[in-house]
Amino acid sequence: MRQVSISNRDFLIISLMLFSMFFGAGNFIFPPMVGKEAGINFYEAILFFCITAVLLPVLGIAAVAKSGTLDKLVYRVDKYFASIFTILVYIIIGPLLAIPRAANMPYEISLSPYLADSWLVVYMVIYFALNYIVCINKTAMIDTMGRWLTPIMLVLICLFFIVAIVGNMGEFSTPIGKYATSPASSGFLDGYQTMDAMAALVFGIVVVSSIKQIGVNQSIVSTTIKSGVFAGIILACIYIMLAYIGASSASLFPDTKNGANILSLTTNYLFGGYGAIILGAIFLLACFTTTVGLISSASEYFSKFNHRLGYKFWVFAWSFLSFCMANIGLNEILKYSIPILTTFYPVSIVLIILSLIDHFIDSSKIVYRSCIYTTLVISLVHSLQESGLLDYKFSVLNFLPFYDAGLGWIIPTLIAFCISYLIFRAKKRGGI
């Protein structure tokens, strides 16, 4: 077979497609709120936000690319974890949470103030019908997202940022809430909300498939990793822009309750009546490209289990399930998002890190199991406490370092790694 490498043009299109898959509703609304609450602690907060919202997703793409598939990566723990975790990740970033949240956001921001509640169903029918049409043609998906939708979205965001700087909206204010006392850990935890480290574990398969789709059969792993790095650089730049807008607008709009509210008021302040149109267009493009990526990646994965239920069937199934969940409304979706993310996001982080040092630990099951299950137990208990399902007073885990900040899993997982690694090395030397 003739070895075909990727052209610069195709590499740019695929990188932009990957960025657009990552950049959805949460990515757009959380950075402005980080900027507003962090105030003069803006730089520290956004740096740690980018660790969980940019660096870890890029590493996740690299982890899946190096492992070959997500299945091979998670099977290093054990077959039970592999089956349950993979299905849960696809459900969480699919019809349970990420897709309905993204689908609802443009409607809530741009249309719901002017339409009756009954129009939500009509909007969702149109929205998911368009998702289905784009997803079933993979070549069209690459062109639509990488060549057209993403560049338009980036131009609109950059225009927004430039006008905000020229408009000289205000100075950074005094930090409030958790950002006044712990800006680093607060930024780190708020990066969970983007869900991108989890999404990276499943987006890798779409990137590899897209690269093969355009006829490339050389250096697929390195190309996938490079496209992830390029997409991450764009993500970081956009997050900094959006967080800056939130920080500089705090003095003008001190009573804003969320990032969407900040962006809505700011665009109206800077662009007048055209602000709603610009913001609505950005939201729609950001959310549409993300839901297309999520539906496509899930369909790609599940289609391999039964050849009679092919890719198109799963595109329809995921679109329909997401449509059903999206109709319960944005507020209901957001209520159950945080406990789910604080349980599974740390597990994704540890899995990504272990995969990147796999050549040192030789896929040792004792290392993978000890680290993953330690993280899972502590994160699950903390999530149950935060959601009120477990009495906070009677947990022995309350004494762990950083537990109150939601990072109590870090030290125990490090200890579990050290102990299990020593056991692994001893067994390898034949010492025990």
Side-chain angles (χ1 to χ4, degrees), residues 265-277:
L265 292 171
T266 304
T267 51
N268 184 67
Y269 175 81
L270 295 173
F271 298 99
Y274 296 102
I277 298 174

Side-chain angles (χ1 to χ4, degrees), residues 214-229:
I214 59 178
V216 174
N217 55 22
Q218 185 179 18
S219 304
I220 292 178
V221 172
S222 63
T223 300
T224 302
I225 294 173
K226 289 176 183 176
S227 67
V229 171

Side-chain angles (χ1 to χ4, degrees), residues 381-382 384-386 388-399 403-405:
V381 171
H382 183 266
L384 292 174
Q385 288 179 330
E386 291 297 300
L389 298 176
L390 186 66
D391 194 334
Y392 189 85
K393 297 177 182 178
F394 296 102
S395 172
V396 295
L397 302 180
N398 295 340
F399 301 100
Y403 190 77
D404 288 340

Side-chain angles (χ1 to χ4, degrees), residues 24-85:
N27 311 68
F28 199 35
I29 64 173
F30 292 120
M33 201 63 187
V34 170
K36 179 199 172 181
E37 295 185 348
I40 58 175
N41 290 335
F42 164 80
Y43 298 103
E44 183 181 358
I46 198 61
L47 171 64
F48 281 85
F49 179 88
C50 285
I51 290 175
T52 44
V54 178
L55 178 60
L56 285 171
V58 171
L59 294 177
I61 291 291
V64 174
K66 291 177 66 177
S67 302
T69 64
L70 176 58
D71 287 335
K72 291 180 181 178
L73 173 56
V74 294
Y75 198 80
R76 292 170 184 167
V77 183
D78 57 55
K79 63 180 180 180
Y80 304 106
F81 174 84
S83 300
I84 296 171
F85 179 77

Side-chain angles (χ1 to χ4, degrees), residues 258-301:
N258 55 61
N261 193 208
I262 292 171
L263 294 173
S264 178
L265 292 171
T266 304
T267 51
N268 184 67
Y269 175 81
L270 295 173
F271 298 99
Y274 296 102
I277 298 174
I278 294 173
L279 185 63
I282 297 173
F283 263 110
L284 182 60
L285 290 171
C287 295
F288 184 79
T289 52
T290 295
T291 53
V292 165
L294 291 170
I295 291 172
S296 177
S297 60
S299 302
E300 188 84 36
Y301 177 79

Side-chain angles (χ1 to χ4, degrees), residues 186-242:
S186 298
F188 187 89
L189 289 172
D190 278 345
Y192 284 12
Q193 301 284 353
T194 65
M195 292 189 283
D196 282 344
M198 294 177 67
L201 296 175
V202 300
F203 281 163
I205 191 173
V206 178
V207 178
V208 171
S209 176
S210 299
I211 292 171
K212 292 178 179 178
Q213 193 77 24
I214 59 178
V216 174
N217 55 22
Q218 185 179 18
S219 304
I220 292 178
V221 172
S222 63
T223 300
T224 302
I225 294 173
K226 289 176 183 176
S227 67
V229 171
F230 191 82
I233 292 171
I234 301 174
L235 270 177
C237 293
I238 299 300
Y239 288 152
I240 293 170
M241 291 180 188
L242 292 173

